[in-house]
């Protein structure tokens, strides 16, 4: 297309790449104030969807007092892309997930009941998702993979959550995986798995104070360690 537009921003941005250079992806710009920032999803029931219950890329979002029942995909995805080759929006920072129930006998392979992620971020990259609070949630899904997957997130708080799985899983399964993030507090995680796993929480490439990981409660017999740092 020959259409052109002039975009004025409120600060200097270094390293802008245009479509003229076909060897790399061009710089992407999003208007955060026009991307559903400040959305509140409260007191809803999501049932029997073939895929995800809720996907957000918005800042300052609250997902609260909801029930997700037998959806084929994730109960909640907070990230700026799904599996495409390009970013699909801004980072879902300052996100609150509180007092929700996610229940299902299974889930589509490749998805996680709760997933927070920044697009294509790798170990050592900036944690672009700035602020995630997960509090008083119950996640009961018979999945062979992760129950909660969090990557590249700053100011991470997980308070008084419960995860349950009746399915037989491999001992290497990571119920909670936290990668390339800044863990501020994990206080109160109720763990109920019928299969033995190596650890309840698997941590890699994170900033944390181990004294702020506490009250990992086993609701059934399991040989798992409370957490491992890789």
């Amino acid at each position: 297309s020959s259409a052109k537009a002039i975009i004025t921003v409120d600060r200097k941005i270094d390293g802008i790449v245009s479509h003229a250079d076909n060897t790399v992806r061009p710089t992407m710009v999003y208007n955060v104030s026009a991307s559903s920032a400040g959305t509140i999803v409260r007191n809803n029931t999501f049932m029997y969807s073939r895929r995800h219950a809720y996907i957000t890329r918005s800042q300052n979002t609250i997902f609260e007092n909801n029930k997700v029942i037998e959806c084929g995909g994730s109960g909640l995805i907070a990230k700026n892309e799904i599996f495409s080759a390009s970013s699909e929006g801004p980072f879902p920072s300052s996100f609150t997930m509180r007092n929700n129930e996610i229940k299902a006998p299974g889930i589509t392979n490749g998805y996680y009941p709760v997933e927070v992620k920044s697009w294509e971020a790798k170990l050592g990259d900036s944690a672009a998702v700035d602020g995630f609070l997960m509090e008083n949630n119950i996640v009961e899904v018979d999945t062979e993979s992760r129950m909660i997957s969090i990557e590249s997130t700053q100011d991470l708080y997980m308070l008084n959550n419960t995860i349950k799985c009746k399915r037989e899983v491999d001992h290497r399964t990571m119920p909670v995986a936290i990668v390339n993030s800044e863990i501020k507090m994990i206080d109160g995680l109720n763990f109920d798995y019928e299969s033995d796993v190596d650890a309840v929480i698997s941590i890699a490439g994170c900033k944390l104070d181990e004294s702020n990981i506490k009250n990992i409660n086993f609701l059934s017999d399991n040989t798992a360690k409370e957490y491992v740092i890789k």
Side-chain angles (χ1 to χ4, degrees):
S1 172
S2 60
K4 296 180 180 180
I6 297 176
I7 300 173
T8 303
V9 295
D10 63 357
R11 71 203 66 187
K12 182 180 179 181
I13 302 175
D14 295 324
I16 292 178
V17 178
S18 73
H19 270 293
D21 186 348
N22 294 320
T23 63
V24 295
R25 292 191 180 97
T27 302
M28 292 171 286
V29 178
Y30 296 97
N31 184 347
V32 174
S33 63
S35 63
S36 301
T39 295
I40 298 174
V41 180
R42 180 181 287 144
N43 301 329
N44 298 282
T45 300
F46 302 86
M47 300 175 66
Y48 310 134
S49 168
R50 73 173 184 85
R51 208 166 177 217
H52 314 301
Y54 184 64
I55 303 171
T56 183
R57 301 173 182 87
S58 304
Q59 294 183 337
N60 304 317
T61 296
I62 296 175
F63 189 76
E64 183 175 42
N65 296 334
N66 300 293
K67 292 184 178 181
V68 178
I69 301 172
E70 295 190 26
C71 290
S74 299
L76 170 72
I77 291 181
K79 61 180 184 177
N80 57 326
E81 56 83 33
I82 301 300
F83 287 116
S84 67
S86 61
S87 176
E88 296 177 338
F91 301 108
S93 298
S94 302
F95 189 95
T96 297
M97 179 186 180
R98 180 187 291 123
N99 298 334
N100 303 284
E101 292 184 17
I102 301 174
K103 296 185 177 182
I107 191 171
T108 301
N109 186 39
Y111 298 125
Y112 312 116
V114 177
E115 183 174 14
V116 182
K117 187 178 180 181
S118 135
W119 177 53
E120 287 196 344
K122 300 177 179 62
L123 281 176
D125 288 351
S126 297
V129 180
D130 189 359
F132 182 75
L133 167 62
M134 184 177 182
E135 182 178 21
N136 296 332
N137 301 280
I138 298 173
V139 186
E140 186 175 353
V141 180
D142 292 338
T143 175
E144 295 179 274
S145 190
R146 301 176 184 180
M147 192 76 75
I148 299 170
S149 181
I150 298 174
E151 298 186 24
S152 303
T153 300
Q154 303 177 53
D155 286 329
L156 171 63
Y157 290 83
M158 298 177 65
L159 310 175
N160 195 35
N161 298 287
T162 299
I163 56 174
K164 300 181 179 182
C165 180
K166 297 179 181 178
R167 184 171 187 164
E168 184 176 345
V169 299
D170 187 273
H171 70 93
R172 294 167 294 183
T173 298
M174 296 181 288
V176 179
I178 305 174
V179 178
N180 197 45
S181 297
E182 178 191 30
I183 300 172
K184 285 298 183 69
M185 181 71 69
I186 299 176
D187 187 357
L189 179 61
N190 302 312
F191 179 74
D192 189 359
Y193 266 53
E194 291 194 2
S195 292
D196 290 333
V197 294
D198 292 340
V200 178
I201 307 170
S202 299
I203 299 168
C206 292
K207 298 178 182 178
L208 74 155
D209 180 342
E210 289 188 56
S211 66
N212 290 330
I213 302 178
K214 53 191 176 182
N215 296 318
I216 311 301
N217 306 309
F218 290 80
L219 304 183
S220 56
D221 292 335
N222 202 292
T223 61
K225 297 179 181 178
E226 292 186 357
Y227 64 92
V228 293
I229 300 176
K230 301 179 179 180

